[in-house]
Amino acid sequence: MNTEKKELRKSTQKKLAGLSKSSKHSDEEKIRKQLFELDVWERSETVGLTVSRGNEIDTYPIIEKAWQQGKTVVVPKCNATDHSMDFRKLTSFDELETVYFGLKEPIVTKTEVVGPSGIDLLVVPGLLYDQDGYRIGFGGGYYDRYLKRYTGQTLSLLHTVQFTDKVPKESFDQPVDILVLPDRLIETRS
């Protein structure tokens, strides 16, 4: 199964890299518009988001919108030794530092931890998703571990090329509740 996941990761990354800038920008505007109209977004006081990079959906405008709306934004800080992570409150992009692989994470001395029960909505990153909310992430397993102890709402933002009928799943994989695509919303839990 890991070989299949690796191949799917590689092919999805290639498809994402092949999206034109204008198509990517247009899709992301539609995705953000849908996200900001969701009841769960409106209701959420604290939102967990990753700080995007590369071909990921740009989360900077989402973080800024959350701040404008008076929401608390929390972003992940990963611990590479045990593949765990916690979320830390971010009040400014100046509280970020670049760590491995160009990833931006909160500076521990400038931010405070917010536990899973303090997060209303968690925007879960990934590469490929299916209609049941299962996903293929980037291979570290950080989010699957975190989601085991998180009971709030989850959603993912994705380009159409990141959606497929079925992804291979394993016992520890945790599905997300809502998928937000440029042209539709998919609620995986009724």
Side-chain angles (χ1 to χ4, degrees):
M1 189 167 326
N2 280 342
T3 311
E4 186 181 2
K5 279 188 174 183
K6 272 184 194 157
E7 287 304 314
L8 286 167
R9 271 189 197 102
K10 200 184 295 180
S11 68
T12 305
Q13 284 171 324
K14 195 173 179 178
K15 287 176 189 172
L16 282 170
L19 290 175
S20 72
K21 263 196 165 113
S22 64
S23 162
K24 190 175 181 324
H25 182 73
S26 169
D27 280 359
E28 289 184 9
E29 278 186 358
K30 292 174 188 169
I31 288 165
R32 283 193 298 270
K33 183 180 186 308
Q34 285 197 84
L35 170 66
F36 299 146
E37 290 174 356
L38 285 173
D39 284 344
V40 67
W41 175 267
E42 298 269 330
R43 285 193 318 267
S44 297
E45 292 176 21
T46 301
V47 180
L49 288 151
T50 56
V51 180
S52 59
R53 66 190 171 111
N55 287 322
E56 295 173 358
I57 296 208
D58 187 0
T59 57
Y60 284 84
I62 298 170
I63 292 169
E64 288 169 342
K65 177 80 164 187
W67 285 336
Q68 287 165 11
Q69 293 180 336
K71 296 182 186 303
T72 298
V73 173
V74 294
V75 297
K77 174 72 180 159
C78 297
N79 180 345
T81 53
D82 65 358
H83 287 251
S84 67
M85 67 179 180
D86 56 34
F87 280 79
R88 304 184 76 87
K89 184 177 176 181
L90 188 73
T91 59
S92 158
F93 291 121
D94 294 337
E95 297 169 347
L96 295 171
E97 64 182 341
T98 302
V99 292
Y100 50 88
F101 303 121
L103 193 64
K104 291 197 181 288
E105 290 191 343
I107 300 168
V108 173
T109 56
K110 293 185 177 184
T111 56
E112 64 186 70
V113 171
V114 174
S117 63
I119 304 171
D120 303 309
L121 174 64
L122 190 58
V123 180
V124 181
L127 274 170
L128 189 63
Y129 302 82
D130 69 20
Q131 67 253 6
D132 297 321
Y134 285 97
R135 57 185 256 291
I136 292 178
F138 297 91
Y142 290 92
Y143 271 85
D144 285 316
R145 283 180 189 83
Y146 192 84
L147 289 171
K148 282 187 180 158
R149 52 195 184 100
Y150 176 73
T151 57
Q153 285 263 223
T154 57
L155 67 76
S156 292
L157 312 172
L158 55 146
H159 291 283
T160 307
V161 298
Q162 294 177 270
F163 184 71
T164 190
D165 289 336
K166 277 279 177 224
V167 298
K169 63 180 188 238
E170 297 174 61
S171 60
F172 53 80
D173 289 337
Q174 303 289 318
V176 295
D177 301 323
I178 302 168
L179 301 177
V180 183
L181 287 90
D183 60 345
R184 66 191 182 278
L185 280 174
I186 299 169
E187 294 193 36
T188 64
R189 309 278 165 267
S190 16

